[in-house]
Amino acid sequence: YSTQRHGISINTLYRNVRNDAPLLLVLRDNFGSVFGAFVTDSIRMDKSYYGHGDMFLFTFYEAPAPMESRAGAEPRLRHVACR
């Protein structure tokens, strides 16, 4: 699903993934932040919470650069971590 290809309607998202489970949902906002969810049930509109304990949310963030490196050590790479 892509908003550029499918539009911004949440109903279109629900319709396109209604039979897909488990599902890894990854989103990028207008500021470049990446986050998402792993869901074991089909995504649907509901009046109450649903799902199981193995569902989770996540976000990616850029780890800060190290303050200093040891003499002679390889330069440290910036990396993306998930928490």
Side-chain angles (χ1 to χ4, degrees), residues 14-24 39-43:
Y14 290 147
R15 190 171 46 255
N16 282 321
V17 300
R18 70 176 163 247
N19 296 318
D20 296 334
L23 180 71
L24 180 63
V39 294
T40 55
D41 290 350
S42 295
I43 296 176

Side-chain angles (χ1 to χ4, degrees), residues 36-69:
F38 174 75
V39 294
T40 55
D41 290 350
S42 295
I43 296 176
R44 64 185 182 277
M45 292 183 64
D46 204 297
K47 293 182 181 180
S48 63
Y49 298 107
Y50 62 91
H52 304 283
D54 51 355
M55 297 171 71
F56 59 89
L57 302 173
F58 63 88
T59 184
F60 287 98
Y61 65 97
E62 190 171 345
M67 298 294 280
E68 58 187 64
S69 62

